[in-house]
Amino acid sequence: MKLTLGMIGGGPDSFIGAVHRKAASLDGRFDLVCGAFSSNPEKSNATGAELGLDPSRVYGSYVDMLNTETGLDAVAIVTPNHLHAHPAIMALERGIHVIIDKPLAFSLQEAYEIRDAVRRSGLVLAITHTYAGYPMVKEARFRVSRGDIGTIRKVFVEYPQGWLTGFLEDAGNKQASWRTDPSKSGAGGSVGDIGTHAAHLAEFVTGSHITHINAMLNTVVPGRKLDDDASALLKFSNGATGVLVATQVAAGEENNLKLRVYGEKGGFEWSHTDPNTLLYKPLDAPVQILRTGTGYVSDAAKNGTRLPAGHPEGYIEAFANIYVEFGRAIDGHISDVPLDAPFAPDFPTVDDGVRGMAFIDAMIRSSTSEQKWTEVTL
Amino acid sequence: MKLTLGMIGGGPDSFIGAVHRKAASLDGRFDLVCGAFSSNPEKSNATGAELGLDPSRVYGSYVDMLNTETGLDAVAIVTPNHLHAHPAIMALERGIHVIIDKPLAFSLQEAYEIRDAVRRSGLVLAITHTYAGYPMVKEARFRVSRGDIGTIRKVFVEYPQGWLTGFLEDAGNKQASWRTDPSKSGAGGSVGDIGTHAAHLAEFVTGSHITHINAMLNTVVPGRKLDDDASALLKFSNGATGVLVATQVAAGEENNLKLRVYGEKGGFEWSHTDPNTLLYKPLDAPVQILRTGTGYVSDAAKNGTRLPAGHPEGYIEAFANIYVEFGRAIDGHISDVPLDAPFAPDFPTVDDGVRGMAFIDAMIRSSTSEQKWTEVTL
Amino acid sequence: MKLTLGMIGGGPDSFIGAVHRKAASLDGRFDLVCGAFSSNPEKSNATGAELGLDPSRVYGSYVDMLNTETGLDAVAIVTPNHLHAHPAIMALERGIHVIIDKPLAFSLQEAYEIRDAVRRSGLVLAITHTYAGYPMVKEARFRVSRGDIGTIRKVFVEYPQGWLTGFLEDAGNKQASWRTDPSKSGAGGSVGDIGTHAAHLAEFVTGSHITHINAMLNTVVPGRKLDDDASALLKFSNGATGVLVATQVAAGEENNLKLRVYGEKGGFEWSHTDPNTLLYKPLDAPVQILRTGTGYVSDAAKNGTRLPAGHPEGYIEAFANIYVEFGRAIDGHISDVPLDAPFAPDFPTVDDGVRGMAFIDAMIRSSTSEQKWTEVTL
Amino acid sequence: MKLTLGMIGGGPDSFIGAVHRKAASLDGRFDLVCGAFSSNPEKSNATGAELGLDPSRVYGSYVDMLNTETGLDAVAIVTPNHLHAHPAIMALERGIHVIIDKPLAFSLQEAYEIRDAVRRSGLVLAITHTYAGYPMVKEARFRVSRGDIGTIRKVFVEYPQGWLTGFLEDAGNKQASWRTDPSKSGAGGSVGDIGTHAAHLAEFVTGSHITHINAMLNTVVPGRKLDDDASALLKFSNGATGVLVATQVAAGEENNLKLRVYGEKGGFEWSHTDPNTLLYKPLDAPVQILRTGTGYVSDAAKNGTRLPAGHPEGYIEAFANIYVEFGRAIDGHISDVPLDAPFAPDFPTVDDGVRGMAFIDAMIRSSTSEQKWTEVTL
């Protein structure tokens, strides 16, 4: 049965709001039935009208929406970071499951508060670390966990973007404006916007946690208020070490998240520029090109793929996979019966979100410290 | 406003039915409201239930559906080829717009009949030559038509697949069974299934038509009833020549449609394995990597893209672009006012479908002729 | 021990002469000791001086050179095609082994005469079909012959270049001038210059021969005297079919020879743009990236590689591999004892050269015939 | 005129000795006339015989060779690092130019001594940082220096290898044995063997120097005596920052040196896996694929290329480019007249070698320091 969904944020200039809507609708699990798309009622109404929503269910305030709507299954929170915690907690307190964009919150403290609310409510919260929704990322995690490459020794994760190479804050670019504004983004710039994705991907695939960070954060573009470039040496809980790069001033780069992990017996490489491929590099044997939609991949990958091999699936599909798993978790919650799939629902949780905020916190602390290593504290 | 959609075909074992449904729903333009998913009522009901449709609007016969449903805006026909013409013509006669999978019909004769019905009805018929929905294919067409590479001289199009390398017909593979069965597919095997895609892509991008064909069709796998391998030398209406390959026995290949066109001043290359990229090869200058979601591509590409550069879009999105344009055409039809976009709706039409059937016909005639060149006749 | 080498052709404007010299010297098997680099004595002397040769061994006439030099082990013939047969036969008659550029001769008739001279002399003649010198081409041949992909069914070979997109004949481009001049090149343009390479590669890897050709030759650029574009459907002696493309008007392409072969159990793909890689595509399993310098490749590939994996080798190295094998064959000839390597010397022979001329002949006959298939006759 | 060359090291099990010999001979500038290939006279003689050298000029001791040979133009030193300084200084003192493998010496102190000897002698010393010999690396340096991408802000250089993933020291692998033996390699393992290459490449292209290092060195494989994995955050003299990775335990990687630099207006990317290509990434415009052998590259690249576009050149050719430039410098030294080319000879010098040793020194000091940043001191 379809689940009903409300949305907070996602008005006219939003990028991620439209992504959430397409992802929610792709597989027919969610019906968007109401929204507070903007605190400006005109803008909210305009978006609601464009989406064909019942005007009476379009709000200029999420507080109004959450106080008015009853029986909503879930709400998607797609606002800037400073507007995450309050609506999330309010929704959970009203019995509504939450799916929320990353990073989880404005601060580590707020992240703790959201986590507490999730625990009190017993409800489901998913955080859209999109890349964990890609089938070949799931395949990499599965194969690492199965031991295909032995103990992980090295982890290299990088997320180069170039879109903030110039000073766009004054150019009327809404995305640039709020993401570089500490009053809306929080204390992290690139480290929060894309560094958290990179860190989550590394932890997701390896099954290990980043325990210590040796970071350099830079504000490369003069006049910018937050970091636009981050890099760090890493230590992981299993003894591996690694390097993380997240930069938004790599002119000419798009969105080129890449993960490479190496163990005693081989390596895996996944790149967002070719997301339906996973390179498997067994020691002393030919590299194998693993592909979505084939017969030889694991159920983890198969469950996240809609099409046979050779039919590219992309970002919206990966995003939709998180919605699908979020839906499965809600189903399980509603029906209180064991899920019929061999897998527990697989989506980034509030704990991943809290880890992301702790990562931002440790990156910033490390970057201002003369000491080499800074511990990630939860 | 959302348009209502019915579906004919697309039951439990269908591949393309699910693609149509996801494509139709992705951008929120269509609401699937009824379906005759199978001629087996149980199977049809099962699919309808899975999709959450009102059981009273799920049928075991498309005749019943078309006779019962009133006010339907459009119907998607996703049955095997031998079940294209009758439902298409019946829908058009009842005032329902049609979107239909390729090839258009079981035979060239049936294609003519569908075309006549479209003309009589004045309604919209779209045929899902998916690849024409990719933004970078639209970009290539735009740049060719603008004269960026001068007069086109050479066209190389290839569509290698490997999935029919073995004899799957007896293995309970429904896709293999009907696609190699002349009573369901018509006279063409690979030439109809994928050759028509290749031919359409070449004509779409170059703006020229294939006028003469020198073809070799093979049935490589013993026991198969239709061709599983086709290649041809081509002549185009603008004086260009070319080569077309469509094979389903290229073991290890997925769905690797590729087009290369060369003119007096440069070339373009587009490959389905990396669909968000278009290579532009100006003579005596560096090759340029053109990408979706960037600021420098044409409106034709921008209109077919949902996300910023670096966020891969894939097959479903390309398919959905055809649905979006189909919807725009219906809007124009309904409102009888000029469309507000700078572009006329851009989708493969019934004339493309007829051309595809004429292509199949000419390929088969050529392959059995001792004469070198066979004319494509419409 | 080093072998002594003379050169015929390869003067100031030559491209391939310098390649032969570097290839001959790379592995220290040959010492260039004399040359008739041009029929213009000044030009010949200039090249000789540049190379540091003894002036008394630099000639303005190959006849003089062959009549004067005694004890020469081998001669490299790198002149335009119309100057192949006479010096080759003369050298053989004087007991000198010959290495010669492709195509073998000006005409099929001349090719027969060279072959007769080789047979009469009992000496070694190698023809520099460079691509057969690449280690991963040797690997492909080895694996095909071992049966890794079963019986070959399909062969696709293409050689797109763009350098003749414009009319360069009048621009003082010496390469363009002689290669498009039927009095120097013979009856074939692109078909002789690069088509023969493509045909040889296909036959070399598959171990089958092209028996029938259905060709289209075009002179795309107005005013050109020979074909600059060729394509053909092919039948092979083992029952396989294929497609060959050789074009010099694919604007923006470099030298992108590519071979793909498919059998019952998989396929291989090799591309000159990434020559140290061979893609192995087993049916229903991940594609494998086979690489030079690794432990898992065959001795055939190992023998043609100088460096460990990850150290790119290129065109000169492939060319040098032919020289190395030519040298081994001369060694065997001189010493009249079994070669100590597990392999017989592996280089394209006069028979390959004759086949190349028969290929040109059949392509031209086919292109002017209304009949579909033309037999390759030797 | 050809220059005479002697060789020290490069006996039967050597990898780099053969590379030096092929590189020296490729372009016909150097004649190898004598050698002390091993301190084991039998091994030295075996190599000399294989190379066809006059037995009287093959030595079991480089001291003997340098004391005996007169009139030698140059000597190539290809021994393990602990045997660099003494023969280099001895040769320089005897008036012989030196080309030497990297890293320059066993220790920073020895590097200073070599540098002093170079200065005292006024002779030429070249160090074979091979990658600086690639034409597209030269192109990148040229374009950066011309200001194509503005001030450099970010530098990412990585050199992942996998060959030391296992413990090969006991397996009779000579390369593994000496490179992991601190008595032969010096204090650095991976950091000396490949880290110096990466550092040199970054400095060569950017024209800036690494001034501060924040490094992590690891000995990943149990029992190994030196680091096999290094990574560092970097500060450059022009204000840029960066990341360097050099690891030999990235299972499945070959020799994948890659450099990416980003400035205010664009970026460049060069990768050793595709060395004839340089990616130019102008801000807000399509990425351009720059290729060797084309008409649009700089003279710097043209001078390092032997073949037209589309003919791959590789590692030996890059290596040979250093020999060619070394030869040009010797020519200039001998003739004491201005060089006739528009370029000064372009090769890595003793100063680059000293910088490399200072880099190793700083990496090691940083890795054992609790302090974040360590200065590179010369």
Side-chain angles (χ1 to χ4, degrees):
Chain A
M1 228 188 56
K2 285 204 176 186
L3 299 163
T4 55
L5 181 72
M7 180 168 277
I8 297 172
D13 299 321
S14 167
F15 151 56
I16 210 68
V19 171
H20 275 258
R21 289 191 294 263
K22 288 180 195 298
S25 75
L26 178 65
D27 298 299
R29 286 305 322 275
F30 290 89
D31 249 345
L32 181 69
V33 296
C34 63
F37 302 106
S38 170
S39 58
N40 175 326
E42 280 181 30
K43 288 187 177 179
S44 190
N45 286 337
T47 296
E50 196 184 316
L51 297 170
L53 291 190
D54 176 347
S56 73
R57 300 182 76 175
V58 178
Y59 303 83
S61 145
Y62 69 82
V63 174
D64 286 354
M65 182 177 93
L66 294 175
N67 280 334
T68 307
E69 292 284 340
T70 56
L72 210 51
D73 290 313
V75 67
I77 299 175
V78 299
T79 44
N81 310 343
H82 67 303
L83 291 172
H84 277 195
H86 189 257
I89 294 168
M90 187 175 171
L92 291 164
E93 289 175 346
R94 272 151 190 74
I96 302 170
H97 303 283
V98 171
I99 186 164
I100 188 165
D101 219 77
K102 47 47 57 185
L104 179 59
F106 186 74
S107 66
L108 181 53
Q109 181 54 39
E110 281 192 3
Y112 291 145
E113 293 166 14
I114 296 173
R115 184 178 60 188
D116 291 345
V118 171
R119 290 184 178 164
R120 278 196 310 273
S121 69
L123 297 178
V124 181
L125 183 145
I127 177 166
T128 50
H129 276 305
T130 325
Y131 307 98
Y134 276 103
M136 295 320 272
V137 169
K138 295 175 188 283
E139 182 73 12
R141 182 178 60 155
F142 168 76
R143 289 178 177 240
V144 166
S145 74
R146 195 174 61 184
D148 286 16
I149 59 171
T151 301
I152 300 291
R153 294 161 159 187
K154 294 298 301 181
V155 180
F156 300 106
V157 64
E158 60 181 52
Y159 200 149
Q161 293 183 328
W163 72 291
L164 286 177
T165 292
F167 187 74
L168 303 183
E169 285 86 333
D170 286 350
N173 181 318
K174 190 191 166 183
Q175 293 300 320
S177 297
W178 82 256
R179 288 177 201 268
T180 61
D181 179 350
S183 73
K184 291 180 176 159
S185 266
S190 62
V191 71
D193 192 17
I194 58 174
T196 49
H197 275 313
H200 182 264
L201 181 66
E203 296 193 338
F204 180 75
V205 168
T206 62
S208 289
H209 287 165
I210 300 168
T211 59
H212 294 79
I213 281 175
N214 172 355
M216 168 172 62
L217 266 60
N218 297 302
T219 301
V220 171
V221 175
R224 186 154 289 155
K225 294 183 190 155
L226 286 173
D227 67 89
D228 49 21
D229 173 73
S231 44
L233 310 180
L234 306 174
K235 294 183 183 176
F236 286 81
S237 52
N238 80 328
T241 58
V243 179
L244 179 147
V245 168
T247 183
Q248 299 181 307
V249 296
E253 299 295 339
E254 295 181 344
N255 218 32
N256 299 339
L257 178 60
K258 180 156 87 172
L259 175 70
R260 289 173 287 181
V261 298
Y262 301 97
E264 296 164 317
K265 300 191 292 182
F268 287 108
E269 176 175 335
W270 180 83
S271 170
H272 190 228
T273 55
D274 186 14
N276 297 293
T277 293
L278 175 67
L279 296 180
Y280 167 43
K281 308 182 176 186
L283 187 60
D284 298 333
V287 171
Q288 295 181 21
I289 304 176
L290 307 177
R291 297 275 295 162
T292 51
T294 55
Y296 54 75
V297 297
S298 67
D299 287 348
K302 281 179 182 156
N303 286 349
T305 309
R306 291 156 189 80
L307 301 170
H311 296 79
E313 298 188 51
Y315 184 83
I316 292 172
E317 288 87 341
F319 218 104
N321 286 341
I322 295 177
Y323 265 90
V324 167
E325 295 297 303
F326 176 55
R328 288 179 61 216
I330 296 174
D331 287 346
H333 186 273
I334 291 173
S335 58
D336 200 19
V337 292
L339 294 165
D340 59 358
F343 295 96
D346 168 24
F347 58 88
T349 67
V350 73
D351 291 320
D352 294 298
V354 170
R355 291 201 62 78
M357 296 309 299
F359 166 79
I360 297 172
D361 174 72
M363 287 288 284
I364 293 170
R365 282 189 290 120
S366 173
S367 81
T368 54
S369 165
E370 281 306 305
Q371 195 186 333
K372 204 159 196 175
W373 292 101
T374 296
E375 195 172 356
V376 179
T377 52
L378 282 173
Chain B
M1 228 188 57
K2 284 204 175 185
L3 298 163
T4 54
L5 180 73
M7 179 166 278
I8 297 172
D13 298 321
S14 167
F15 151 55
I16 210 67
V19 172
H20 275 259
R21 289 191 293 264
K22 289 181 194 297
S25 75
L26 179 65
D27 299 298
R29 283 307 322 276
F30 291 89
D31 248 346
L32 181 69
V33 296
C34 63
F37 302 107
S38 170
S39 57
N40 175 326
E42 279 181 32
K43 287 187 177 178
S44 190
N45 287 337
T47 297
E50 197 185 316
L51 298 169
L53 292 190
D54 175 347
S56 72
R57 300 183 76 176
V58 179
Y59 303 83
S61 145
Y62 68 83
V63 175
D64 287 355
M65 183 176 93
L66 294 175
N67 281 333
T68 307
E69 291 285 338
T70 57
L72 209 53
D73 289 314
V75 68
I77 299 176
V78 300
T79 44
N81 310 343
H82 67 305
L83 292 171
H84 278 196
H86 188 258
I89 294 168
M90 188 175 170
L92 291 165
E93 289 175 346
R94 271 149 190 75
I96 303 169
H97 302 282
V98 171
I99 186 163
I100 187 165
D101 219 76
K102 48 46 60 183
L104 179 58
F106 185 74
S107 66
L108 180 53
Q109 180 54 38
E110 281 193 2
Y112 292 146
E113 293 166 14
I114 296 174
R115 184 177 60 186
D116 291 345
V118 171
R119 290 184 179 163
R120 278 195 311 273
S121 69
L123 298 178
V124 182
L125 181 145
I127 177 166
T128 49
H129 276 305
T130 326
Y131 307 98
Y134 277 103
M136 296 321 272
V137 169
K138 295 174 188 283
E139 182 73 11
R141 182 176 64 153
F142 168 77
R143 289 178 178 241
V144 166
S145 72
R146 194 173 63 182
D148 287 16
I149 59 171
T151 300
I152 299 292
R153 294 162 158 187
K154 293 299 301 181
V155 181
F156 299 106
V157 64
E158 60 181 52
Y159 199 147
Q161 294 183 326
W163 72 291
L164 286 177
T165 293
F167 187 74
L168 305 183
E169 286 87 332
D170 286 349
N173 180 318
K174 189 190 169 185
Q175 293 300 321
S177 296
W178 82 256
R179 289 176 200 268
T180 61
D181 180 350
S183 73
K184 292 182 176 158
S185 265
S190 63
V191 71
D193 192 17
I194 58 175
T196 49
H197 275 313
H200 182 264
L201 181 65
E203 297 193 338
F204 179 77
V205 168
T206 62
S208 291
H209 286 165
I210 300 168
T211 59
H212 294 80
I213 281 174
N214 172 355
M216 168 170 63
L217 265 62
N218 297 302
T219 301
V220 171
V221 175
R224 185 154 290 156
K225 293 182 190 157
L226 286 173
D227 66 90
D228 49 21
D229 172 71
S231 44
L233 309 180
L234 305 174
K235 294 183 181 175
F236 286 81
S237 53
N238 80 329
T241 58
V243 179
L244 179 146
V245 168
T247 183
Q248 300 181 308
V249 295
E253 300 294 339
E254 295 182 344
N255 218 31
N256 298 340
L257 179 60
K258 179 156 86 170
L259 176 70
R260 290 173 286 181
V261 299
Y262 300 97
E264 297 164 314
K265 300 191 292 183
F268 287 108
E269 176 175 334
W270 180 82
S271 170
H272 190 228
T273 55
D274 186 14
N276 297 293
T277 292
L278 175 67
L279 296 180
Y280 167 43
K281 307 182 177 186
L283 187 60
D284 298 332
V287 171
Q288 295 181 21
I289 304 174
L290 308 177
R291 295 276 295 163
T292 52
T294 56
Y296 54 75
V297 296
S298 68
D299 287 349
K302 281 179 183 157
N303 285 349
T305 310
R306 292 156 188 78
L307 300 170
H311 296 78
E313 297 187 52
Y315 184 84
I316 292 172
E317 288 86 340
F319 218 105
N321 286 341
I322 294 178
Y323 266 90
V324 167
E325 296 296 303
F326 176 55
R328 286 180 60 217
I330 296 175
D331 287 346
H333 186 275
I334 290 172
S335 57
D336 200 20
V337 292
L339 293 165
D340 59 357
F343 294 96
D346 169 24
F347 58 89
T349 67
V350 73
D351 291 321
D352 293 299
V354 170
R355 290 201 63 77
M357 296 309 298
F359 166 80
I360 296 172
D361 174 71
M363 288 287 283
I364 292 171
R365 282 189 291 120
S366 174
S367 81
T368 55
S369 166
E370 281 305 304
Q371 196 186 332
K372 204 158 195 176
W373 292 101
T374 296
E375 195 172 354
V376 179
T377 52
L378 281 172
Chain C
M1 225 189 57
K2 283 204 177 187
L3 299 163
T4 54
L5 181 71
M7 180 168 279
I8 297 172
D13 298 322
S14 167
F15 151 56
I16 209 68
V19 171
H20 275 259
R21 290 192 292 263
K22 289 180 194 298
S25 74
L26 179 64
D27 299 299
R29 284 307 321 276
F30 291 89
D31 248 346
L32 182 69
V33 295
C34 63
F37 301 107
S38 170
S39 57
N40 175 326
E42 280 182 30
K43 287 189 177 177
S44 190
N45 287 336
T47 297
E50 197 185 315
L51 298 170
L53 291 190
D54 176 347
S56 73
R57 300 183 77 178
V58 178
Y59 303 84
S61 146
Y62 68 83
V63 174
D64 286 354
M65 182 175 95
L66 294 175
N67 281 332
T68 307
E69 292 285 340
T70 57
L72 210 52
D73 290 313
V75 68
I77 299 176
V78 300
T79 44
N81 310 343
H82 68 305
L83 292 171
H84 278 196
H86 189 258
I89 293 168
M90 188 176 170
L92 291 164
E93 289 175 346
R94 272 149 190 75
I96 302 169
H97 303 281
V98 171
I99 186 164
I100 188 164
D101 219 76
K102 48 44 61 185
L104 180 58
F106 185 74
S107 66
L108 181 54
Q109 180 55 38
E110 281 192 3
Y112 291 145
E113 293 167 14
I114 296 174
R115 185 178 58 187
D116 290 346
V118 171
R119 290 185 180 164
R120 279 196 308 273
S121 69
L123 298 179
V124 181
L125 183 145
I127 177 166
T128 49
H129 276 305
T130 325
Y131 307 98
Y134 277 103
M136 295 321 271
V137 169
K138 294 175 189 281
E139 182 73 12
R141 182 178 61 154
F142 168 77
R143 289 180 177 239
V144 166
S145 74
R146 193 173 62 183
D148 287 16
I149 59 171
T151 301
I152 300 291
R153 294 162 158 185
K154 294 299 302 181
V155 180
F156 301 106
V157 64
E158 60 181 53
Y159 199 149
Q161 293 183 327
W163 71 290
L164 286 177
T165 293
F167 187 74
L168 303 183
E169 285 86 333
D170 286 350
N173 181 317
K174 190 192 168 184
Q175 293 301 320
S177 297
W178 83 256
R179 288 176 201 269
T180 61
D181 179 350
S183 73
K184 292 182 176 156
S185 265
S190 62
V191 71
D193 193 18
I194 58 174
T196 50
H197 275 313
H200 182 265
L201 181 65
E203 296 193 339
F204 180 77
V205 169
T206 62
S208 291
H209 287 165
I210 300 168
T211 59
H212 294 80
I213 281 175
N214 171 356
M216 168 172 62
L217 265 61
N218 297 302
T219 301
V220 170
V221 174
R224 186 153 290 155
K225 293 181 191 158
L226 286 173
D227 67 271
D228 49 21
D229 173 72
S231 44
L233 309 181
L234 305 174
K235 293 184 183 175
F236 286 81
S237 53
N238 80 329
T241 59
V243 179
L244 179 147
V245 168
T247 184
Q248 300 181 307
V249 296
E253 298 297 339
E254 296 181 345
N255 218 32
N256 299 339
L257 179 59
K258 180 157 87 172
L259 176 71
R260 289 172 287 182
V261 299
Y262 300 97
E264 296 164 315
K265 300 190 293 182
F268 287 108
E269 176 176 335
W270 180 83
S271 170
H272 190 227
T273 55
D274 186 15
N276 297 292
T277 293
L278 175 67
L279 295 181
Y280 167 43
K281 308 182 177 188
L283 187 60
D284 298 333
V287 172
Q288 294 182 21
I289 303 175
L290 307 178
R291 296 276 296 162
T292 52
T294 56
Y296 54 75
V297 294
S298 67
D299 286 348
K302 280 179 184 157
N303 286 348
T305 309
R306 292 156 188 80
L307 301 170
H311 296 79
E313 297 187 53
Y315 184 84
I316 292 172
E317 288 85 341
F319 218 104
N321 286 341
I322 294 178
Y323 265 90
V324 167
E325 295 296 304
F326 176 55
R328 287 179 61 217
I330 296 174
D331 287 346
H333 186 274
I334 291 173
S335 58
D336 200 23
V337 292
L339 294 165
D340 59 358
F343 295 97
D346 169 24
F347 58 89
T349 67
V350 73
D351 292 320
D352 293 299
V354 171
R355 290 202 64 76
M357 296 309 298
F359 166 80
I360 296 173
D361 175 71
M363 287 289 283
I364 292 171
R365 283 189 289 120
S366 174
S367 82
T368 55
S369 164
E370 282 304 305
Q371 197 186 331
K372 204 159 196 175
W373 292 100
T374 295
E375 195 173 354
V376 179
T377 52
L378 281 173
Chain D
M1 230 189 55
K2 284 205 174 185
L3 299 164
T4 55
L5 181 72
M7 179 167 278
I8 297 172
D13 299 322
S14 167
F15 151 55
I16 210 67
V19 172
H20 275 258
R21 291 192 291 263
K22 289 180 194 297
S25 75
L26 178 65
D27 298 299
R29 285 305 323 275
F30 290 90
D31 249 345
L32 182 69
V33 296
C34 64
F37 302 106
S38 170
S39 57
N40 175 328
E42 280 181 31
K43 288 187 177 180
S44 189
N45 287 337
T47 297
E50 197 185 316
L51 298 171
L53 291 189
D54 176 346
S56 72
R57 299 182 77 176
V58 178
Y59 303 84
S61 145
Y62 68 83
V63 174
D64 286 355
M65 182 176 95
L66 294 175
N67 281 332
T68 306
E69 293 283 340
T70 56
L72 209 52
D73 289 314
V75 68
I77 299 175
V78 300
T79 43
N81 310 342
H82 67 304
L83 291 172
H84 278 196
H86 189 258
I89 294 167
M90 188 175 170
L92 291 163
E93 289 175 346
R94 272 149 189 74
I96 303 170
H97 302 282
V98 171
I99 186 163
I100 188 165
D101 218 77
K102 45 51 53 184
L104 180 58
F106 186 74
S107 66
L108 181 53
Q109 180 54 39
E110 282 193 1
Y112 292 144
E113 292 166 15
I114 296 174
R115 184 177 61 188
D116 291 345
V118 171
R119 291 184 178 163
R120 279 196 309 273
S121 69
L123 297 178
V124 181
L125 182 145
I127 177 167
T128 49
H129 276 305
T130 325
Y131 307 98
Y134 277 103
M136 296 321 273
V137 169
K138 294 175 189 282
E139 182 73 12
R141 182 178 62 153
F142 168 77
R143 289 180 177 239
V144 166
S145 73
R146 192 173 65 182
D148 287 16
I149 59 170
T151 300
I152 300 292
R153 294 162 158 185
K154 293 300 300 181
V155 181
F156 299 105
V157 64
E158 59 182 52
Y159 200 148
Q161 293 183 328
W163 72 291
L164 286 177
T165 293
F167 187 74
L168 304 183
E169 285 85 334
D170 286 350
N173 181 318
K174 189 189 168 184
Q175 294 299 321
S177 297
W178 82 255
R179 288 177 201 268
T180 61
D181 179 351
S183 74
K184 292 182 176 159
S185 265
S190 62
V191 72
D193 192 16
I194 57 173
T196 50
H197 274 313
H200 182 264
L201 180 66
E203 296 193 338
F204 179 76
V205 169
T206 62
S208 290
H209 286 165
I210 300 168
T211 59
H212 293 80
I213 281 174
N214 172 355
M216 167 170 63
L217 265 60
N218 297 302
T219 301
V220 170
V221 174
R224 186 153 289 155
K225 293 183 190 156
L226 286 173
D227 66 89
D228 49 22
D229 172 74
S231 44
L233 309 180
L234 305 175
K235 294 183 182 176
F236 285 81
S237 53
N238 80 329
T241 58
V243 179
L244 179 146
V245 168
T247 183
Q248 300 180 308
V249 295
E253 300 294 340
E254 295 180 346
N255 219 30
N256 299 338
L257 178 60
K258 179 156 88 171
L259 175 70
R260 288 173 289 181
V261 299
Y262 301 96
E264 296 163 315
K265 299 190 294 182
F268 287 108
E269 176 175 335
W270 180 83
S271 170
H272 190 229
T273 55
D274 186 15
N276 297 292
T277 293
L278 175 67
L279 295 180
Y280 167 42
K281 309 182 177 188
L283 187 60
D284 298 333
V287 171
Q288 294 181 21
I289 304 175
L290 308 177
R291 295 276 295 162
T292 51
T294 55
Y296 53 75
V297 296
S298 67
D299 287 348
K302 281 179 183 157
N303 285 349
T305 310
R306 292 154 188 81
L307 301 170
H311 296 79
E313 297 188 53
Y315 184 83
I316 292 172
E317 288 86 341
F319 218 104
N321 286 340
I322 294 177
Y323 266 90
V324 167
E325 296 296 304
F326 176 54
R328 287 180 60 217
I330 296 174
D331 287 347
H333 186 274
I334 290 173
S335 59
D336 199 20
V337 292
L339 294 166
D340 60 357
F343 295 96
D346 169 25
F347 58 89
T349 67
V350 73
D351 291 320
D352 293 299
V354 171
R355 290 202 63 76
M357 295 309 299
F359 166 80
I360 296 172
D361 174 72
M363 287 288 284
I364 293 171
R365 283 189 289 120
S366 174
S367 82
T368 54
S369 165
E370 282 304 306
Q371 197 185 331
K372 204 159 198 176
W373 292 101
T374 296
E375 195 172 355
V376 179
T377 52
L378 282 172

